[in-house]
Amino acid sequence: MANVSGMQKNDPAHRLRTALPKIGIRPTIDGRYGGVRESLEGQTMGMAQRTADFLQGNLRHASGLPVEVVIADTCIGGVSEAAKCEEKFQREGVGVSLTVTPCWCYGSETIDMNPIRPKAIWGFNGTERPGAVYLAAALAGHNQKGLPAFGIYGRDVQDTTDVVIPGDVQAKILQFARAGLAAAAMRGTSYLAMGGVSMGIAGSIVDHEFFEEYLGMRVEEIDMTEFTRRIDREIYDRDEYERAIRWVRENCPEGEDRNEPEKRRTREQKDRDWEISVKMAIIARDLMIGNPKLAEMGFKEEAEGHNALASGFQGQRQWTDHFPNGDFLEAILTTSFDWNGIRQPYMVATENDSLNGASMLWGHLLTGTAQLFADVRTFWSPDAVKRVTGHTLSGKAEGGVLHLINSGPAALDWTGEMNGPDGPTLKPWWEITPEEAGRCLDATRWCPSMVEYFPGGGWSTDFTTRGEMPVTMFRINLVRGLGPVLQIAEGYAVNLPEEVHRTLDERTNPTWPTTWFVPNLTGEGPFTDVYQVMNHWGANHGAISHGHIGGELIALAAILRIPVEMHNVPAERVFRPTAWMRHGGMDPQGADYRACQTYGPLYR
């Protein structure tokens, strides 16, 4: 049993040099004094304050810190007050803006003109004053000026004295805010490539232009020899290493060694593999975010880190042919807990697949949960399962399943050993208890790596995700001449009978972690059946997040001007800036491509 008696839950903390973005509320108002403006001041500012309270009560950053909301000092009745608001927003670090109003205002004089700030407008649906008229006029101004904005308008008319934010308005505000904060949080940070191209995988050909122009991030690159240097010269916190290796020996039980007896590494070699693997994890984290302890040791440059919000480790093959693989590094860092307690997971991509790393980053920023990196390995049809196992698939799996399995990082959160009201779940890291972390550790075995793949030794996480859980699989792909495109498949992690799982798992590498995934089907295009989802998938990897977050991903992609190639998100949860409708609203997917082409990368 895992020893979690002393496991602490770390306080939320911001790990990077760049500041967390804030949400700005812009209360706009009819600028006419002499009776009109005076009658609306209280209602308009009250609307802004209630919106701020709602956002602060329902949102956290992925770091666990509360989202700060800044309200303009006065209502905005014209360009002068708009300028004062903008100066405050710049000073306060506002990364996302939401304009609110119950009334008519002067459209182009009051809108947010910042070209890179995600923006939305909520126009109150009431009959006493024409908030909806301002919403339409202001959105038209945004579209005419090439400044896309999301429009929020409640379905039902409210009385002017109604202080309730309707449920449909709440949903759109949160969907926009989560996507906007995710976009703003990436700006000014880094993707750290630890190594180069892994085995010719295109995603590990790190595209600087994509990160810089679409995400607002820079790319930092180091050679994997930096790990060797830091290990050999002991450039890591040695006290932390001693604590970490003790924790690993107590909480990371070894699984079966599936290598041929004559190829198995000796006990001495395995112990050495553990020592190097733990040091690699500490060093990778230090490379990402720095470590003040290193400055105390005299390594001031190393102490700074690379301000990396996400990273990838090449590993194969130049490293793994000689040294222990990076699987422990990747798995433990992407998990929500380690020897330092329960803390925010890090986003680290196997094989330096930066596009899957960026996808994982999106999922984490939207949910605060650990993300799963997996090979989209195999489609098992009902007939194939019946032939191999004699079992007839049923329930959600009756149309077949996708085997998500990978030799690299699988965050231990994905054992499914946390429980929610509806059964197995994943939680934002700040909600995880030590007992839940202990169950995840107990459900995981660390199998010696297969030396035919990893001659240098190392370890693999071995577990099977406990379903059923709502999950979303997604991936950014790059296409020459088009740029990045996003694909999304909402669905469920499912359980298979143990004997069926074992039979199917034994046909590949049973030392690797497995998640059985079934996408929701629509009967059309890529979602005609499960096979077509596999057939349309754009790469060998996918990022998987807990929950059905396709709507938030679509909103985030629109903010960043990345079209969505395929998705199965119900129409009522698709939310994009209104300019997308002007690009051919009767053909939503085509409009998405046309709008993204019109506006181009957000940071170009």
Side-chain angles (χ1 to χ4, degrees):
M1 297 289 291
N3 180 13
V4 295
S5 58
M7 180 176 282
Q8 65 175 359
K9 179 176 288 188
N10 286 281
D11 292 332
H14 183 48
R15 301 191 292 214
L16 301 185
R17 306 292 187 260
T18 41
L20 288 171
K22 300 174 185 177
I23 298 177
I25 305 293
R26 307 175 72 258
T28 55
I29 196 167
D30 192 320
R32 288 171 286 200
Y33 283 99
V36 177
R37 176 162 179 160
E38 293 90 339
S39 69
L40 293 166
E41 289 276 4
Q43 183 185 5
T44 304
M45 193 57 80
M47 188 177 177
Q49 188 60 60
R50 288 190 296 275
T51 304
D53 293 342
F54 170 72
L55 287 166
Q56 289 175 318
N58 288 275
L59 290 177
R60 287 199 194 195
H61 292 289
S63 65
L65 290 167
V67 172
E68 294 185 57
V69 179
V70 177
I71 302 177
D73 292 333
T74 67
C75 291
I76 302 168
V79 68
S80 175
E81 288 164 318
K84 293 175 185 177
C85 173
E86 179 61 22
E87 188 278 328
K88 181 178 183 178
F89 282 9
Q90 292 282 359
R91 175 166 31 91
E92 293 282 347
V94 167
V96 182
S97 79
L98 174 59
T99 298
V100 301
T101 190
C103 62
W104 168 255
C105 319
Y106 304 156
S108 62
E109 296 183 27
T110 58
I111 62 175
D112 179 352
M113 294 281 286
N114 187 301
I116 63 172
R117 181 185 296 136
K119 50 185 68 65
I121 304 173
W122 172 27
F124 184 78
N125 185 1
T127 55
E128 290 81 358
R129 297 285 184 177
V133 178
Y134 169 72
L135 174 64
L139 290 172
H142 276 285
N143 295 344
Q144 190 167 330
K145 294 175 182 296
L147 300 168
F150 292 75
I152 301 172
Y153 179 58
R155 174 175 289 272
D156 297 318
V157 172
Q158 295 180 263
D159 297 330
T160 188
T161 56
D162 194 343
V163 296
V164 173
I165 303 176
D168 60 334
V169 172
Q170 289 185 17
K172 286 188 174 180
I173 288 175
L174 288 177
Q175 190 170 347
F176 161 73
R178 290 192 180 104
L181 285 170
M186 289 185 283
R187 187 165 65 243
T189 66
S190 304
Y191 175 86
L192 175 62
M194 297 180 285
V197 179
S198 174
M199 301 183 296
I201 293 172
S204 63
I205 305 171
V206 183
D207 190 295
H208 289 232
E209 183 177 304
F210 163 68
F211 279 94
E212 292 166 5
E213 296 195 351
Y214 284 92
L215 307 186
M217 300 172 68
R218 72 171 71 213
V219 174
E220 293 280 285
E221 296 173 318
I222 62 144
D223 192 271
M224 289 182 292
T225 55
E226 179 64 6
F227 282 84
T228 307
R229 183 180 79 93
R230 294 196 185 202
I231 291 172
D232 289 349
R233 301 187 183 187
E234 297 189 320
I235 306 175
Y236 52 85
D237 184 339
R238 294 157 211 173
D239 293 335
E240 181 186 5
Y241 164 71
E242 293 298 334
R243 185 173 71 254
I245 196 69
R246 286 195 302 270
W247 184 88
V248 166
R249 288 167 179 156
E250 290 180 357
N251 295 289
C252 298
E254 293 180 17
E256 182 180 357
D257 190 337
R258 293 297 192 109
N259 290 290
E260 297 295 328
E262 67 275 10
K263 294 182 178 180
R264 291 175 185 170
R265 294 170 71 78
T266 66
R267 184 68 258 170
E268 181 180 7
Q269 287 175 314
K270 290 177 180 178
D271 290 342
R272 177 64 174 161
D273 290 347
W274 272 124
E275 293 170 0
I276 294 176
S277 295
V278 171
K279 291 174 184 177
M280 287 169 63
I282 293 172
I283 289 168
R285 181 207 61 203
D286 290 351
L287 283 164
M288 288 182 68
I289 66 168
N291 187 344
K293 179 69 174 181
L294 300 184
E296 297 174 16
M297 297 166 57
F299 300 104
K300 293 184 179 181
E301 181 182 0
E302 291 85 347
E304 289 296 321
H306 291 266
N307 200 43
L309 196 56
S311 69
F313 182 72
Q314 175 194 335
Q316 297 186 77
R317 285 187 38 217
Q318 287 74 16
W319 179 270
T320 57
D321 280 3
H322 185 60
F323 293 108
N325 63 27
D327 287 15
F328 178 78
L329 171 168
E330 295 155 358
I332 202 65
L333 288 182
T334 58
T335 296
S336 298
F337 47 85
D338 61 15
W339 47 88
N340 290 318
I342 298 168
R343 46 88 179 130
Q344 182 183 4
Y346 298 82
M347 296 300 106
V348 186
T350 296
E351 295 154 351
N352 194 28
D353 183 348
S354 62
L355 297 178
N356 221 56
S359 303
M360 293 168 67
L361 177 57
W362 285 21
H364 175 60
L365 291 174
L366 290 169
T367 66
T369 59
Q371 304 295 293
L372 179 67
F373 185 114
D375 279 2
V376 186
R377 179 63 67 105
T378 308
F379 165 65
W380 277 99
S381 68
D383 289 344
V385 172
K386 181 74 172 179
R387 177 180 63 82
V388 171
T389 70
H391 176 73
T392 300
L393 293 174
S394 60
K396 287 186 173 66
E398 66 179 353
V401 294
L402 297 182
H403 194 179
L404 307 182
I405 181 171
N406 187 49
S407 60
L412 274 60
D413 305 55
W414 280 87
T415 55
E417 292 295 328
M418 303 175 197
N419 291 319
D422 301 318
T425 190
L426 267 75
K427 295 181 177 181
W429 71 269
W430 56 85
E431 295 181 3
I432 298 171
T433 67
E435 293 71 25
E436 289 170 327
R439 290 200 298 272
C440 293
L441 288 162
D442 289 338
T444 305
R445 289 296 177 268
W446 296 86
C447 295
S449 63
M450 303 300 290
V451 294
E452 63 188 29
Y453 279 105
F454 304 114
W459 307 93
S460 293
T461 47
D462 180 25
F463 61 75
T464 303
T465 300
R466 188 168 65 106
E468 293 182 348
M469 295 191 290
V471 300
T472 303
M473 183 170 77
F474 53 105
R475 162 99 185 172
I476 300 166
N477 294 301
L478 286 179
V479 181
R480 175 65 68 88
L482 176 62
V485 294
L486 176 67
Q487 47 188 181
I488 302 168
E490 293 185 338
Y492 287 85
V494 298
N495 296 314
L496 296 183
E498 178 58 32
E499 64 275 13
V500 176
H501 159 75
R502 188 181 308 110
T503 299
L504 302 184
D505 201 40
E506 289 284 343
R507 292 175 66 98
T508 179
N509 191 324
T511 69
W512 295 345
T514 282
T515 302
W516 297 106
F517 172 65
V518 176
N520 296 336
L521 301 178
T522 65
E524 298 179 355
F527 296 96
T528 302
D529 57 29
V530 180
Y531 168 80
Q532 288 300 334
V533 175
M534 176 79 176
N535 197 39
H536 280 77
W537 205 249
N540 53 314
H541 295 147
I544 300 89
S545 185
H546 182 267
H548 289 159
I549 65 167
E552 286 75 10
L553 288 167
I554 289 172
L556 175 56
I559 288 170
L560 300 173
R561 321 292 193 250
I562 296 174
V564 180
E565 163 200 344
M566 58 179 266
H567 75 82
N568 58 349
V569 180
E572 61 270 18
R573 287 201 285 117
V574 175
F575 191 31
R576 293 184 171 109
T578 57
W580 268 239
M581 298 182 218
R582 310 288 85 81
H583 283 79
M586 296 185 70
D587 170 22
Q589 186 176 43
D592 183 26
Y593 274 79
R594 288 186 288 273
C596 290
Q597 182 180 37
T598 295
Y599 296 113
L602 183 60
Y603 302 106
R604 177 174 292 171

